[in-house]
Amino acid sequence: MTTPRTYLTTPIYYASGEPHIGHAYTTFLADALARYHRQAGHRVRFLTGTDEHGQKIREEADRRGVTPLALCNEMAGRFREAWEELAISHDRFIRTTEEDHKAVVRAFVQRLHDRGHIYAAEYEGWYSVHEERFFTEKELGPDHTDPIAGRPVERIRERNWFFRMSAFQEDLIRHIEENPDWIYPEIRRNEVLGFLAKPLEDLSISRPKSRLDWGVPLPFDEDHVTYVWVDALINYLTGSEAIDPARPPGEQGFEDTSASWWPADLHLIGKDILTTHAVYWPTLLMGAGLPLPRQILAHGWWIAGDTKMSKSLGNVVSPLELRGRFGTDAVRWYLLREMPVGGDAAYTPERFLSRYGELSNVLGNLASRTVSMVVKYREGVVPEVAGEGLEAEAESALAAYHRAMESRRVHEALGAAMDLARAANGYVEAREPWAQARDETRADALDETLTTLVRALVLLSSMLAPAMPEKMPELARHLGLDEVPTLEESRRTSPGGTRVAKMTALFPRVELSGDD
Ligand code: MSP
């Protein structure tokens, strides 16, 4: 049997601002899925990185009085550090200013040109610097503002290169109709189909250097740079190692991607960048004759008050600040557990604490009482009995967990694990091990209780490790294991005979401070 392969991507984040919990959420989602698949034995490629060209970066660099590259070096460093502190397990961090990537962009647009999908034309339209794209008159908000951030747009007239996106409209509609899960969730699929119900315009893929010099020059017209969204989307291909720009045309990998990671199994994005990923990107790939990604998952927004959290609105919550107070896994847990994949969620300190409470009161409590009972009643050694007292609950939690993870509903998978932890606490109350311990004739029953609880905790450590990669290994060590077992191992093996280690609280209690 060949090992299943999974290639997952996050958007590449603009190198113009600090990472906030919106960026962290997409990245956590990808990380949890990557870890879940690795645990199941898949070969995984997990790509993330920074988007470093275009007007937004140029303007931010000018504002700070530094070169665009200096700004990008600094910000790419920030993102890398943040992901390290937040335990992100990406395999590759891509920067669009890397030579390799720029070469792939040039090879890609050259191929579109060679295949006759690119032409030059005069263009006049409403341009938003903030969103880095043109909007049609119909799309505009009141007083000539863009419909996304409500920023003023400018009327621009220039000669540009265009990609014949309109030629692929029918093929794209057919693809979406034939593959109902291609865009998840359904509400986003319908949004794209709605967008495609109107005639698709061709896509301007260049910017004259006279207006913007910070980008990848087009190989067939060095006076123009590649439109930043085209440049950025191609990162997924660069990161797959499908294209070798150093080789001559015909041998670069466009004809056959099977030796590479392409096509991606899943592009994780926020709903703000749906059109670029579900319309521009697949049509560009069709133009280049490449296979399409297998799925696009568009999640909702973290909102603050009643608007999207974003740097430009100045209402961002820093994941690193939360981490400083509560720890990496608490931040991951909150974001992944609180937001139903696909829906919106509001960040509030109260909700954060209530989700944290689940960790300390349900999971942490279960772990500390179990370990201390094994220490107190069995000198720290887990009894060698079956420990099948929670068999039915474990089976059903696991089935729900897999179902949810396979359909990318990570919040639900975590909920299934938490249900098992609750059931295990209920089991403690029902079995009353402290009463069993007082009665010599019930020694066997006590053994069964303790091993059942340790078994449940071992399984929970496997189920929760994709979300909490720091605390679950700690839990496993307290349970006498060297590392978190795979889900399969934790179902197969009995913990009997292992020696537990006295616990310090996994999730110490915390209080809100006056500033929250
Ligand atoms: N650079 C582009 C993406 C190019 S991908 C080829 C971009 N960058 S971004 O820095 O603005 O980050 C966008 C992504 O960050 C969103 O798609 C989403 O995944 C995440 N989020 C940013 N703000 C968010 C919220 N307030 N809530 C949830 N996620 C959001 O767009």
Side-chain angles (χ1 to χ4, degrees):
M1 223 187 77
T2 54
T3 316
R5 294 154 48 105
T6 303
Y7 176 29
L8 304 166
T9 69
T10 72
I12 47 171
Y13 304 107
Y14 284 125
S16 49
E18 306 279 336
H20 61 68
I21 62 171
H23 309 129
Y25 176 70
T26 321
T27 314
F28 289 161
L29 209 51
D31 190 62
L33 290 169
R35 289 175 186 272
Y36 170 76
H37 287 301
R38 285 193 201 110
Q39 193 183 54
H42 288 207
R43 282 182 57 210
V44 171
R45 171 92 163 171
F46 167 14
L47 176 76
T48 188
T50 39
D51 190 351
E52 306 192 352
H53 288 129
Q55 200 155 335
K56 222 191 198 40
I57 305 292
R58 161 54 79 194
E59 288 187 355
E60 180 67 20
D62 290 350
R63 213 179 52 77
R64 298 187 189 195
V66 296
T67 64
L69 190 58
L71 169 68
C72 293
N73 288 342
E74 165 160 359
M75 296 315 296
R78 294 284 178 87
F79 272 92
R80 266 188 213 275
E81 278 163 31
W83 296 159
E84 192 173 326
E85 290 187 19
L86 295 166
I88 301 303
S89 64
H90 53 280
D91 303 288
R92 164 102 156 88
F93 187 101
I94 191 167
R95 299 183 52 187
T96 52
T97 48
E98 288 168 16
E99 291 307 321
D100 274 4
H101 172 71
K102 291 193 275 184
V104 174
V105 170
R106 284 162 70 87
F108 189 99
V109 292
Q110 183 64 52
R111 182 164 166 95
L112 291 178
H113 190 267
D114 295 347
R115 288 163 70 95
H117 300 313
I118 285 185
Y119 63 92
E122 258 322 293
Y123 187 77
E124 184 169 352
W126 296 104
Y127 188 75
S128 156
V129 172
H130 189 259
E131 299 300 322
E132 304 236 32
R133 51 170 283 203
F134 284 99
F135 289 95
T136 60
E137 188 86 43
K138 265 191 287 177
E139 285 176 296
L140 292 184
D143 300 326
H144 292 110
T145 51
D146 79 64
I148 298 174
R151 299 299 190 87
V153 293
E154 297 165 40
R155 189 80 183 158
I156 283 183
R157 184 184 170 82
E158 62 193 18
R159 183 174 167 281
N160 270 331
W161 291 93
F162 285 83
F163 164 58
R164 251 180 249 287
M165 190 155 75
S166 55
F168 299 95
Q169 179 164 12
E170 290 311 311
D171 286 349
L172 180 58
I173 294 175
R174 195 169 329 110
H175 183 80
I176 297 173
E177 283 174 348
E178 285 172 2
N179 298 279
D181 296 330
W182 187 63
I183 302 171
Y184 179 87
E186 198 177 0
I187 179 176
R188 301 294 157 229
R189 174 176 186 261
N190 294 338
E191 191 180 313
V192 175
L193 284 172
F195 181 80
L196 290 169
K198 289 169 277 177
L200 197 54
E201 286 177 19
D202 288 344
L203 180 68
S204 153
I205 61 145
S206 69
R207 298 290 176 264
K209 261 195 189 158
S210 51
R211 179 156 73 80
L212 173 69
D213 60 351
W214 184 237
V216 183
L218 291 177
F220 46 84
D221 179 354
E222 301 279 340
D223 292 335
H224 279 82
V225 296
T226 311
Y227 170 39
V228 65
W229 264 106
V230 173
D231 170 352
L233 288 162
I234 293 172
N235 95 85
Y236 302 131
L237 195 61
T238 311
S240 78
E241 285 167 10
I243 308 303
D244 182 352
R247 299 177 76 94
E251 293 173 25
Q252 290 185 318
F254 285 102
E255 278 74 19
D256 179 9
T257 56
S258 61
S260 75
W261 286 94
W262 195 256
D265 292 279
L266 181 63
H267 288 323
L268 288 134
I269 59 167
K271 64 182 179 181
D272 45 336
I273 52 176
L274 183 62
T275 312
T276 47
H277 282 78
V279 179
Y280 297 5
W281 183 223
T283 52
L284 285 163
L285 288 164
M286 286 173 182
L290 287 167
L292 303 191
R294 299 207 170 88
Q295 194 179 34
I296 298 164
L297 184 160
H299 65 70
W301 282 342
W302 283 96
I303 49 182
D306 52 10
T307 47
K308 180 189 175 214
M309 193 177 287
S310 80
K311 174 184 165 243
S312 46
L313 296 172
N315 58 357
V316 297
V317 175
S318 157
L320 295 178
E321 203 180 297
L322 287 174
R323 173 192 182 267
R325 294 175 54 199
F326 305 102
T328 292
D329 283 3
V331 186
R332 296 173 61 110
W333 174 256
Y334 168 72
L335 293 181
L336 289 173
R337 170 93 165 109
E338 179 76 354
M339 178 180 269
V341 175
D344 291 342
Y347 170 82
T348 68
E350 291 74 22
R351 291 300 304 157
F352 189 97
L353 276 202
S354 128
R355 287 301 184 191
Y356 186 82
E358 250 181 341
L359 293 179
S360 49
N361 304 334
V362 182
L363 182 64
N365 182 32
L366 176 67
S368 64
R369 72 208 295 206
T370 300
V371 168
S372 58
M373 286 191 291
V374 174
V375 169
K376 186 163 164 203
Y377 303 139
R378 293 295 180 261
E379 287 165 354
V381 180
V382 182
E384 295 198 56
V385 295
E388 288 173 341
L390 284 164
E391 203 45 29
E393 290 82 352
E395 271 310 310
S396 77
L398 205 51
Y401 175 86
H402 280 300
R403 247 193 334 269
M405 278 296 199
E406 294 299 330
S407 54
R408 329 288 197 194
R409 295 195 308 276
V410 173
H411 65 290
E412 229 174 86
L414 301 183
M418 225 3 114
D419 288 346
L420 177 59
R422 286 207 171 81
N425 278 321
Y427 176 83
V428 176
E429 306 306 327
R431 300 277 293 187
E432 300 189 317
W434 45 91
Q436 292 174 328
R438 283 196 298 267
D439 181 350
E440 267 304 308
T441 64
R442 295 170 75 193
D444 290 353
L446 178 59
D447 282 348
E448 184 59 18
T449 306
L450 296 177
T451 305
T452 292
L453 292 171
V454 175
R455 267 197 100 154
L457 279 164
V458 171
L459 180 60
L460 284 167
S461 75
S462 310
M463 293 169 85
L464 293 170
M468 294 187 281
E470 290 191 349
K471 292 291 182 174
M472 293 305 101
E474 200 177 315
L475 172 60
R477 280 194 295 278
H478 284 297
L479 300 171
L481 305 171
D482 295 336
E483 55 185 18
V484 175
T486 65
L487 276 170
E488 214 199 303
E489 283 161 2
S490 61
R491 287 307 280 146
R492 222 177 338 103
T493 48
S494 160
T498 53
R499 179 170 284 282
V500 301
K502 189 117 187 77
M503 309 241 354
T504 43
L506 268 185
F507 301 101
R509 280 173 214 286
V510 293
E511 310 266 317
L512 278 185
S513 74
D515 304 340
D516 287 303

